Amino acid sequence: MSQALRVGVAGLGTVGAALISQVAHRREALTARCGRGIEVVAVSARSRGKDRGFDLKKMKWFDDPVALARDASIDVFVELMGGSGGVAKAAVEAALAAGKSVVTANKALLAKHGVKLAALAEKNNVALNYEAAVGAAIPIVKTLREGLAGNEIARIYGILNGTCNYILTRMEQEGLSFADCLKDAQRLGYAEADPTFDIEGHDTAQKLSILASLAFGTKVDESAIYVEGISSIAPADLAAADELGYRVKLLGVAVKTPQGIEQRVHPTMVRKDSAIAQVMGVTNAVTVDASGINPITLIGPGAGGAATASAVLSDIADVARGLRVMPFGRPTAKLASVRKAPMQRHEGGYYIRLQARDKPGTAATIAKRLAQQEISLESIVQRHRKGAPESEVKGGSVPVILITYATSEDAVRKALAAVGRDKVISGRPQVIRIEKN
Amino acid sequence: MSQALRVGVAGLGTVGAALISQVAHRREALTARCGRGIEVVAVSARSRGKDRGFDLKKMKWFDDPVALARDASIDVFVELMGGSGGVAKAAVEAALAAGKSVVTANKALLAKHGVKLAALAEKNNVALNYEAAVGAAIPIVKTLREGLAGNEIARIYGILNGTCNYILTRMEQEGLSFADCLKDAQRLGYAEADPTFDIEGHDTAQKLSILASLAFGTKVDESAIYVEGISSIAPADLAAADELGYRVKLLGVAVKTPQGIEQRVHPTMVRKDSAIAQVMGVTNAVTVDASGINPITLIGPGAGGAATASAVLSDIADVARGLRVMPFGRPTAKLASVRKAPMQRHEGGYYIRLQARDKPGTAATIAKRLAQQEISLESIVQRHRKGAPESEVKGGSVPVILITYATSEDAVRKALAAVGRDKVISGRPQVIRIEKN
């Protein structure tokens, strides 16, 4: 039996505390699996005195995580501090440069500096594992990096943010407004006091940038992602989606197109009978479309101390077993730059909800503008004032809901701009892309 | 760059042919991922002359797969012949003994001889990979063997046989009989001419035995599995399930209980809103319940040439990259013998459908027999002759559907035996276990 793997952990929040508890509880099984023990021998955190429910005395304490990262007493450095730069980056770099493998749950760091850090890991022949950074306990990083090595991936998409899915689920199931659901999510701890990062799609974008790199062998490039959040979604959209056989989910989507790789985060209509549409509440899910076979979907807890820690621990176990794969599945030198498919060239079906002025000729005007852009309609629902629910009739306007056949983003934008100039609608049109699945 | 990995393939059916095509198509990506090429250099099959759509001339031909397995011209042996013993076993043993890694899609071989073959692989420091043996393209073997190494698994269950799920889906959606759906499945090539192995649950049992070993660190033991197939399922059961908020799926379930490990294959009522209940048609799915976190579910194509070949190719890529994990995730010497939890001690809810004689006192008699076994009822639906659909009223009897609270298999069996002796029912009671999820 080899010597135990000595682990240093920087960051002792909920994930760090759960990790230390799991390492203790799973000692025997981990030793059997890895052929050696796993021991947390050193830690670093903001406050030494805080009661975390376990005894820090057996572990070496570091005020400075960077000092911990390069300390000779550890074999692997676990970064659980968070943040896209600063001390997290400095500590990870220090560990890699000192020839220590790194395990991190830090999506922001990887989205911003993933390629550079991967190159540093490669140069030093050490591992950089980050299963917990995307989808927490869902083993999607390993699945893309190793499990689907035999597959050519055409598209990957997922529900990567539990806060948004929780809000959309409650809006759909209870007919509540976005604002009310957000408040509830904040009260229950599912959303931050400043929820912008989650609800405007940036958290999803960071995770998507990592998945896209793993799926397509490209450099992580968050800036190549088109991002829209869910704050404009209204109960009327969810009700209309339901009637039409869809659900609305905030998806991160990366897809190969003839124009390059399209990466986008936006509210999306998905068919109710798809696996991803069934995913409710804070649960996450990722679907992988590989060439020539039916889709593969992974569903599971995408956040939480125990779920995140279990993924971190599996990454540590890989290090203990001596399994090492290039951080993005291939040498960084072979990662291609993203050829970004422009969003204007995006093609697909669209859901469009307009508040149309209730006067003769409105429908004809809208239809004409769509026809001018060669947009064909799969369905159009216009409720007349009498038939429309009271709530939908606003100062002489009625809702019109259009579903288009596949068309381009550019055509939709141009058509709606023209409709706007025609002054036949009030307010901003609501546009939700439909994802085939 | 290292030398290309030289692969020998025995068995050139749909999977073998798809594999050779995928190796050719993915040459560049595989080389980037693995740091070396992958080449199929030798093959063996029953008929050399058959047109398979690719040129055999560039590959060394072997009439005898065992000779191929030990030939010095190959580094890794891929077994795609099938069969739980015979030439498949001899060839795999020959390859391992000769120090060559083996990749196989052969669940029967692993269910029967997995532990012995794993020990042989270990002794020779080579890999024995078999991702394709369970759930084809779903990366469940890697997920259990590596991805969830940090998790303590409490239960694993899945839809592991596409034929059965196809039949149950059509029965449910179209109200057809089992016999009619089976015929259709045979016509469409989803079921064999002799469908017993699939529909009676044996295929599921073989796959479950492998998953249970990976999940719980026990020796593969197909004989420890309680097996029931789907041939007794009637449209009436699916209709009742639907009304009660359930779907019926053939599940393989392995669960840790205080009595040991319970392994069972049987038609199962699962709640409609669970991830597994959404899985329709030939698709497979596996759910893993790990301690302290919400379930993780993997869904995807569980059969087919391309899907199976892609998993085989990912396994080959692991060998090319030099990733090697013990075949069952830990040394065979550490695999525990299965302490089999007896089926009589199984605890859970039950769906029971009886054809009760339509006379006074019948309901009271049934209720008494259940009470004597301390079985509590969550619901009881008895349709009187007048109210029951014509089809359900058979010669003076009416259907009674009972849903029990958690009770034991033993209690249910004793209660139903007593009801049978009371002569208040006709025919055999239908019993379907309810799986909490």
Side-chain angles (χ1 to χ4, degrees):
Chain A
M1 172 108 23
S2 319
Q3 277 203 310
L5 184 81
R6 300 166 306 164
V7 178
V9 178
L12 293 176
T14 49
V15 178
L19 175 65
I20 285 172
S21 149
Q22 288 178 13
V23 168
H25 278 95
R26 309 241 322 116
R27 189 171 303 278
E28 209 179 321
L30 286 166
T31 305
R33 279 182 177 270
C34 304
R36 60 195 293 199
I38 291 174
E39 305 272 357
V40 178
V41 298
V43 293
S44 174
R46 282 211 193 116
S47 151
R48 187 171 189 171
K50 189 175 161 190
D51 181 14
R52 296 178 172 91
F54 54 87
D55 191 0
L56 285 179
K57 273 188 222 120
K58 291 178 193 155
M59 303 161 196
K60 199 167 163 184
W61 175 268
F62 287 81
D63 285 318
D64 176 11
V66 178
L68 164 60
R70 61 164 72 102
D71 196 79
S73 69
I74 66 166
D75 304 310
V76 54
F77 176 67
V78 177
E79 186 277 303
L80 302 173
M81 296 175 288
S84 67
V87 71
K89 176 165 175 268
V92 167
E93 284 173 342
L96 296 173
K100 297 176 200 302
S101 286
V102 168
V103 175
T104 177
N106 189 334
K107 58 188 179 283
L109 179 64
L110 287 157
K112 197 156 180 193
H113 304 289
V115 178
K116 246 166 81 179
L117 296 174
L120 190 56
E122 255 177 87
K123 193 182 137 195
N124 290 282
N125 291 308
V126 292
L128 171 60
N129 291 344
Y130 51 88
E131 186 61 77
V134 185
I138 304 174
I140 184 62
V141 173
K142 183 175 273 280
T143 291
L144 289 172
R145 201 157 78 167
E146 305 165 32
L148 301 183
N151 298 87
E152 185 182 347
I153 296 173
R155 178 174 62 159
I156 181 163
Y157 60 95
I159 295 170
L160 301 172
N161 181 276
T163 307
C164 288
N165 207 51
Y166 172 83
I167 291 172
L168 290 172
T169 300
R170 288 208 55 198
M171 286 178 71
E172 180 195 326
Q173 292 180 342
E174 302 171 45
L176 299 173
S177 73
F178 172 79
D180 285 346
C181 290
L182 174 59
K183 251 183 252 161
D184 254 22
Q186 286 172 318
R187 195 174 48 78
L188 293 164
Y190 293 151
E192 308 279 339
D194 177 358
T196 314
F197 184 69
D198 288 318
I199 64 170
E200 294 307 341
H202 305 299
D203 173 78
T204 300
Q206 288 187 344
K207 293 166 179 169
L208 180 66
S209 72
I210 296 168
L211 295 185
S213 172
L214 288 163
F216 302 123
T218 49
K219 289 182 183 152
V220 187
D221 185 0
E222 194 190 341
S223 73
I225 305 181
Y226 172 85
V227 184
E228 245 178 58
I230 62 166
S231 54
S232 77
I233 300 294
D237 298 317
L238 301 180
D242 184 55
E243 269 179 48
L244 295 159
Y246 291 95
R247 286 211 174 99
V248 178
K249 299 290 184 189
L250 183 75
L251 293 192
V253 184
V255 56
K256 265 190 193 166
T257 77
Q259 283 79 44
I261 293 175
E262 199 177 271
Q263 296 183 65
R264 47 195 165 83
V265 173
H266 52 70
T268 309
M269 296 258 187
V270 291
R271 272 182 41 198
K272 257 191 221 169
D273 61 359
S274 64
I276 208 115
Q278 316 299 333
V279 177
M280 296 299 192
V282 294
T283 303
N284 283 17
V286 181
T287 296
V288 182
D289 283 348
S291 299
I293 67 171
N294 284 327
I296 296 168
T297 299
L298 280 64
I299 303 171
T308 308
S310 73
V312 170
L313 185 48
S314 298
D315 274 351
I316 297 172
D318 270 3
V319 175
R321 288 205 257 214
L323 297 181
R324 187 165 68 81
V325 179
M326 304 285 177
F328 291 97
R330 59 197 91 196
T332 47
K334 298 233 172 189
L335 293 173
S337 292
V338 173
R339 187 159 67 92
K340 182 183 165 179
M343 197 59 196
Q344 289 89 325
R345 307 271 310 259
H346 168 70
E347 302 218 339
Y350 284 77
Y351 157 99
I352 300 165
R353 180 169 56 82
L354 304 167
Q355 203 63 29
R357 292 184 196 276
D358 192 17
K359 58 181 185 186
T362 292
T365 303
I366 294 170
K368 187 184 73 184
R369 292 307 186 190
L370 294 168
Q372 282 173 344
Q373 295 299 329
E374 299 186 348
I375 298 171
S376 303
L377 292 177
E378 187 183 306
S379 79
I380 174 162
V381 179
Q382 174 174 2
R383 289 204 177 107
H384 286 285
R385 289 188 74 173
K386 278 185 193 160
E390 198 66 35
S391 61
E392 293 183 2
V393 181
K394 291 174 189 161
S397 73
V398 289
V400 176
I401 287 164
L402 312 165
I403 300 285
T404 77
Y405 284 109
T407 180
S408 76
E409 179 90 8
D410 195 42
V412 169
R413 289 186 190 176
K414 281 182 180 155
L416 291 179
V419 169
R421 284 191 300 269
D422 291 334
K423 301 203 189 316
V424 294
I425 59 168
S426 63
R428 276 192 60 181
Q430 172 70 298
V431 176
I432 303 178
R433 295 166 195 89
I434 298 171
E435 193 71 23
K436 264 203 185 154
N437 51 2
Chain B
M1 173 110 20
S2 319
Q3 277 205 309
L5 183 79
R6 300 166 306 164
V7 178
V9 178
L12 292 176
T14 49
V15 178
L19 175 65
I20 285 172
S21 150
Q22 288 177 13
V23 168
H25 277 97
R26 308 238 327 116
R27 187 172 305 280
E28 208 179 322
L30 287 165
T31 305
R33 279 181 177 272
C34 304
R36 62 196 291 201
I38 293 175
E39 304 272 358
V40 178
V41 297
V43 294
S44 174
R46 283 213 190 113
S47 152
R48 189 171 187 172
K50 190 176 162 190
D51 180 14
R52 296 179 173 89
F54 53 87
D55 191 1
L56 286 178
K57 274 190 218 114
K58 290 179 193 156
M59 304 162 195
K60 199 168 163 184
W61 175 268
F62 288 81
D63 285 318
D64 175 12
V66 178
L68 165 60
R70 62 163 73 97
D71 196 79
S73 69
I74 68 166
D75 303 311
V76 53
F77 176 67
V78 177
E79 187 277 303
L80 301 174
M81 296 176 286
S84 66
V87 71
K89 176 165 175 270
V92 168
E93 284 173 343
L96 296 173
K100 295 177 201 303
S101 286
V102 168
V103 174
T104 177
N106 189 334
K107 58 186 179 282
L109 179 64
L110 286 158
K112 197 158 180 191
H113 304 289
V115 179
K116 247 166 80 179
L117 295 174
L120 189 57
E122 253 177 88
K123 194 181 138 196
N124 290 282
N125 291 309
V126 291
L128 170 59
N129 292 344
Y130 51 88
E131 186 61 77
V134 185
I138 304 175
I140 184 62
V141 173
K142 184 176 272 281
T143 291
L144 290 171
R145 201 157 79 166
E146 305 166 32
L148 302 181
N151 297 88
E152 185 183 349
I153 296 173
R155 178 173 62 158
I156 181 164
Y157 59 94
I159 295 170
L160 302 171
N161 182 275
T163 307
C164 289
N165 207 52
Y166 173 83
I167 291 173
L168 290 171
T169 300
R170 288 209 54 198
M171 286 178 71
E172 180 195 327
Q173 293 180 341
E174 302 172 44
L176 300 174
S177 73
F178 172 79
D180 284 345
C181 289
L182 174 59
K183 250 183 253 161
D184 255 21
Q186 286 172 319
R187 195 173 48 79
L188 293 164
Y190 293 153
E192 307 279 339
D194 176 359
T196 314
F197 184 69
D198 288 316
I199 65 171
E200 294 307 340
H202 305 299
D203 174 78
T204 300
Q206 288 187 344
K207 292 167 179 168
L208 180 66
S209 71
I210 296 168
L211 294 185
S213 172
L214 287 163
F216 301 123
T218 50
K219 289 181 182 152
V220 188
D221 185 0
E222 195 192 339
S223 73
I225 305 180
Y226 171 85
V227 183
E228 245 177 56
I230 62 165
S231 54
S232 77
I233 300 295
D237 297 317
L238 301 181
D242 184 55
E243 270 180 48
L244 295 159
Y246 291 96
R247 286 212 174 99
V248 179
K249 297 290 183 189
L250 183 75
L251 292 192
V253 184
V255 55
K256 265 191 190 164
T257 77
Q259 283 79 44
I261 293 175
E262 201 177 90
Q263 295 183 67
R264 47 196 166 82
V265 173
H266 53 70
T268 308
M269 295 258 187
V270 291
R271 271 182 41 198
K272 259 191 223 173
D273 61 0
S274 63
I276 208 117
Q278 316 299 335
V279 176
M280 296 301 192
V282 295
T283 303
N284 283 16
V286 181
T287 296
V288 182
D289 283 347
S291 299
I293 67 170
N294 284 329
I296 297 168
T297 300
L298 279 63
I299 303 171
T308 308
S310 74
V312 169
L313 185 49
S314 298
D315 274 352
I316 296 171
D318 271 3
V319 174
R321 286 206 257 214
L323 297 181
R324 188 165 66 83
V325 180
M326 304 284 180
F328 292 97
R330 58 196 92 196
T332 47
K334 299 233 171 188
L335 293 173
S337 292
V338 173
R339 187 160 68 92
K340 180 183 165 179
M343 198 58 197
Q344 288 89 326
R345 306 270 311 259
H346 168 70
E347 303 219 337
Y350 284 78
Y351 157 98
I352 301 165
R353 179 170 56 83
L354 304 167
Q355 201 63 28
R357 292 183 197 278
D358 191 16
K359 58 183 185 183
T362 293
T365 303
I366 294 170
K368 187 182 76 185
R369 292 306 185 190
L370 294 169
Q372 282 172 345
Q373 296 299 330
E374 298 185 350
I375 297 170
S376 303
L377 292 178
E378 188 183 304
S379 79
I380 174 163
V381 179
Q382 175 175 2
R383 289 204 176 106
H384 288 284
R385 288 189 76 172
K386 280 184 194 162
E390 197 66 34
S391 62
E392 293 184 2
V393 181
K394 292 174 190 161
S397 73
V398 289
V400 177
I401 287 163
L402 312 165
I403 300 285
T404 78
Y405 283 109
T407 179
S408 76
E409 178 91 9
D410 195 42
V412 170
R413 289 186 190 177
K414 281 181 180 155
L416 292 179
V419 169
R421 286 191 299 270
D422 292 334
K423 299 201 191 315
V424 294
I425 60 169
S426 63
R428 276 190 60 182
Q430 172 69 297
V431 176
I432 303 178
R433 295 166 194 89
I434 297 171
E435 193 71 22
K436 264 201 185 154
N437 49 2

